[in-house]
Each structure stands twice: as C-alpha cells, then as structure tokens.
Amino acid sequence: MSPEASVIGPSIEVSRTVAGLEAAELTALHGSPLFVYDADVLRARAAALRAALPAAVEIAFACKANSSPLVLAALAGAGLGADVASAGELRAVRRAGFAAERVVFTGPGKTDAELAAALEAGVGALTIESLEELDVVIGLADDARTGQGLMLRLATGGDAEGLPIISAPGNVKFGLSDQEADAAVSRLRAARVLTPEGPFLLRGFHAFGASNVRDAAVLVAGAVDLAARAERIARRHGLELKLLDAGGGLGIPYADDEGALDIEALGRGLAAEMATWADRPALRSARLLLEPGRWLVGPVGAYVCGVTRTKERGGRVVAISDGGIHHLLRPRLVGQDHRVVPLGPAVDRPADARIDLVGPLCTGIDILASDVAGPRLRAGDLLAVLDAGAYGYSESMPLFLTHPIPAEVVVDGGALHVSRERVEPA
C-alpha cells in the first residue's frame, strides 16, 4: 500500500479522501463497501483518447466494463457511441442517451428476441457471429428498417489479459472463419436482402481477440490484420466497406511497475495504417471503430471497503474486510491484485506491515490483495481498491452469501450523485 494512487494518466484522486470527499462520510451515507466514480476524470479520459486518435476512428464504449447509469450518461454526453452485448445493455444505453445509430450490438449468443430488439431499435450495426445467427436475421428482414447495418465478425486467436483461464477454450465461440464469412455474404445476396432497396447494408467486418493490451503496437497490428482479412473477403465479393471494427482491448496498468498504454503512439500507428486505405478500393470509404471499456472507466473508479476484523498469521496482518470478490472478482479471476490504499486516519501510520486483504466470504479464494505493504490496520479502517471502475460491479456475483449489494456513487464537479442505490438482502 502507498498513500499515493500512482496511477499513470488521469485517475480518480485517492489519498485521505476519494474524489475529494471524505471516505467516512461516503460510507456513512451509502454504506460500506461501495463503488465511487469520478465523472470529471471520466470525461477527461474520453477527451484524451478522442484527441489522440485520427478523426476517422469512431469510439464505442464497451458497456460490459461498466453499465452504471450515470457513467453511461456521462459517456453519452461526451459524444461516444456504445457497444452492447445484450438486450439489457441496449435498454441501458438508450435510457442513458446514446443514439441508436451510434450503438453496435455484438456478442456470440444473441437470442432471437435480442436480434429482433436490435432491429426494432435500428442500431448502427448488428454483428453476425455465426451462420445460424445470420439465418435468423435474414428471417427477420421484414422487421428491419431500410439500410440496417450488419457486420460480420471474424474469428481470431488472441488472449484475454494473456491468461489461459480466460482465453481458452472460450474464444472458439466468437466469430466466423473466413470461409464462413464468404458463405455469409453469399447467403445475404441469395436472400436478396442486400439490394439498394433491401433492408440490410453490409457495413464491414469486426475482429477482436485480446484484452488489457498495453502495447500500442499490438493493438495497431490487430487493426492491420483485420483490414487485410476484410479486404481479401471484400475483393472476392466486390464489396466496398464502410466500417472496420477492431474491438477493444485498450489496457491499463494495475501495478506501479506496469507501463501505461501510449495512446498517442496508438493514434499514430492507426493513422499510418488508415492512410494506406485510400489506395485500396475495398477500404477507401471505410472508417475504423474501437470499443474501449477498461481504458476509459477503470482508473475512474475505486472500491471502498472497511476492515471488520484483523489477526496475524506468519508475520502478516490479515485484514478481513466487508468487501470481497463477490463485488470485485477480477483479482482472483485473472490472478492479479489491484493496488490498495488506506483512507482517513490510517494514512498517518507508518507503512511497516505486510498485509493480506481478504473478504468475508466462506471461501479461501476471497482475497483482494496479498502480502502488500501498508500501515498496521485496525477494525474500522477504510481502504480503497484502485482501478475498480471496470469489471467491478458489472462482473460481480453479489448474491453469494447474500450480503448487501453495494451502492454506486458518482462525484461530478465535487457534487455527489447516486447511480445505483445500495440493496439490502430481502
């Protein structure tokens, strides 16, 4: 632990306070644990990413990272589009103010009802992930608006956070092989739904197979590979593409010794690749879409929790908190601790202890951080787990042991707003 947040780039301010507000007051009002997000930092990150990328690159926020209503509203107000992967996320972004034409609907397991909802809403692009899904969409053609955008997702390899627990074998469910993509174009044409008066417009292709990438060159290489594959398929079918979706994967550091993603280098690399498209007929009219989630919202949030009990084991302080992996699963899911900082009076104590921060659940894997330096904690102390704005609440399993579901609050211009209320067990 360190009193400094030490997060590279704009991030929520955490020292004695959280986003400028006293942690004890926050927990007195909204309970502990809780998620706190800083809307000013969120808008600053969105603006920084927009400024770093070429004008022909569109940004759609990946809602799976954080679907909290006020977070979505802030991103809609910042002019971003949205990437959704369920009917629930589609409803959430529409309530938050995202225009339907700025929404892309992705995901490998969309139900027939979700496909119908996407067509009814008139989303900007509906991504096709299998030939069976395509057949359902063709069957719904009479319900689609003229010019409804479609994209074909191409299967990739790739790793999620470089960890086999996530990347294999689950990635096989995503996308079409190039041969299946050829078949998909043929089926659309055979069904006569791509005619100028027909309901569908094949806007382009989507490919994405990695997560939390902090190397700009790797992200650029993914876009280059997508463009080459899309171009080959398009040339075989005489298509002129309008959109290439390179997905998300923009990463953030979770430890002080990890480097940050150079978004300026990312912008330069994408600009260099897109400059070649002017001389490539299948791509000369195309724009590029990125779907960042974690990069935008991760450093914007902190998970505030309180110490309920302490004990010593093996020379280390075991701090048992009211928060755990039922709310912040990522540390154990991918095997990487988040940074943790003390709040309030604990900041003044010497950081001379080694601490295991664990949660209240009846499982040995309920660990938020292991063997970290910090002050000798006491019952009643408050802590902030950093970089909890992404894949915290949205990836939680809150019903395990039937603890309260934490509130989500947003600090905007120094004012506190409730995005989701705390839910006590029934």
Side-chain angles (χ1 to χ4, degrees):
M1 291 185 188
S2 165
E4 300 295 331
S6 302
V7 180
I8 301 172
S11 60
I12 189 169
E13 181 274 327
V14 178
S15 53
R16 291 178 177 274
T17 61
V18 182
L21 302 182
E22 291 291 338
E25 294 181 10
L26 288 172
T27 56
L29 286 170
H30 300 291
S32 175
L34 80 158
F35 287 92
V36 184
Y37 311 120
D38 190 322
D40 294 327
V41 173
L42 178 58
R43 284 188 286 265
R45 292 186 72 84
L49 185 61
R50 177 65 279 167
L53 298 176
V57 176
E58 300 177 14
I59 303 173
F61 171 64
C63 296
K64 60 181 174 289
N66 188 322
S67 59
S68 194
L70 294 184
V71 169
L72 292 179
L75 289 167
L80 274 60
D83 160 42
V84 304
S86 71
E89 286 188 344
L90 177 59
R91 289 190 295 270
V93 300
R94 297 293 285 128
R95 285 195 301 267
F98 288 90
E101 61 268 20
R102 299 292 309 280
V103 175
V104 293
F105 200 134
T106 61
K110 298 183 287 293
T111 66
D112 292 4
E114 286 177 321
L115 294 171
L119 297 179
E120 181 181 1
V123 298
L126 175 61
T127 299
I128 303 300
E129 301 246 8
S130 68
L131 293 175
E132 287 186 5
E133 185 172 73
L134 177 65
D135 289 340
V136 174
V137 171
I138 290 173
L140 295 170
D142 289 344
D143 299 325
R145 306 180 189 190
T146 301
Q148 169 64 60
L150 301 179
M151 283 192 296
L152 303 180
R153 180 168 183 170
L154 303 177
T156 67
D159 292 329
E161 304 206 42
L163 297 168
I165 187 173
I166 306 296
S167 62
N171 270 358
V172 297
K173 68 184 177 182
F174 297 110
L176 303 157
S177 68
D178 288 15
Q179 294 74 23
E180 288 172 326
D182 284 325
V185 176
S186 297
R187 288 191 191 186
L188 284 165
R189 284 191 163 149
R192 303 184 63 82
V193 291
L194 289 182
T195 62
E197 298 78 22
F200 297 130
L201 169 66
L202 183 56
R203 297 188 65 189
F205 294 88
H206 171 40
F208 166 59
S211 180
N212 201 37
V213 177
R214 292 177 289 108
D215 185 341
V218 172
L219 293 169
V220 172
V224 171
D225 180 68
L226 166 60
R229 292 176 68 192
E231 182 181 30
R232 288 193 295 269
I233 297 169
R235 289 175 64 182
R236 288 197 290 269
H237 296 277
L239 299 172
E240 186 170 333
L241 305 178
K242 302 299 182 184
L243 187 65
L244 296 183
D245 181 353
L250 282 68
I252 61 172
Y254 283 95
D256 291 337
D257 60 355
E258 293 182 346
L261 171 65
D262 186 340
I263 58 172
E264 299 288 344
L266 175 62
R268 290 192 299 270
L270 294 177
E273 163 61 17
M274 295 175 74
T276 71
W277 295 1
D279 299 320
R280 300 159 71 179
L283 303 177
R284 61 190 169 197
S285 299
R287 296 173 66 83
L288 182 68
L289 176 67
L290 296 182
E291 299 170 353
R294 184 194 319 266
W295 192 93
L296 286 166
V297 296
V300 165
Y303 177 61
V304 177
C305 56
V307 177
T308 58
R309 300 285 183 269
T310 65
K311 61 179 72 173
E312 291 199 17
R313 290 290 185 273
R316 300 211 295 252
V317 175
V318 178
I320 305 170
S321 81
D322 54 12
I325 63 169
H326 51 325
H327 304 150
L328 191 62
L329 181 60
R330 183 189 175 276
R332 297 287 65 82
L333 186 64
V334 304
Q336 181 183 38
D337 293 344
H338 287 225
R339 288 166 287 205
V340 182
V341 299
L343 300 168
V347 172
D348 297 325
R349 298 180 213 137
D352 58 1
R354 304 301 301 182
I355 299 168
D356 291 337
L357 179 62
V358 301
L361 305 181
C362 298
T363 170
I365 66 170
D366 187 16
I367 304 168
L368 291 174
S370 300
D371 194 21
V372 295
R376 192 164 295 275
L377 296 173
R378 305 167 186 166
D381 284 340
L382 293 174
L383 306 167
V385 183
L386 303 183
D387 303 308
Y391 303 107
Y393 193 107
S394 69
E395 198 176 43
S396 63
M397 47 180 191
L399 298 183
F400 187 35
L401 266 68
T402 319
H403 286 281
I405 299 174
E408 291 182 294
V409 299
V410 174
V411 181
D412 193 344
L416 183 64
H417 305 275
V418 178
S419 189
R420 286 189 176 115
E421 296 277 2
R422 179 181 173 94
V423 179
E424 296 291 342

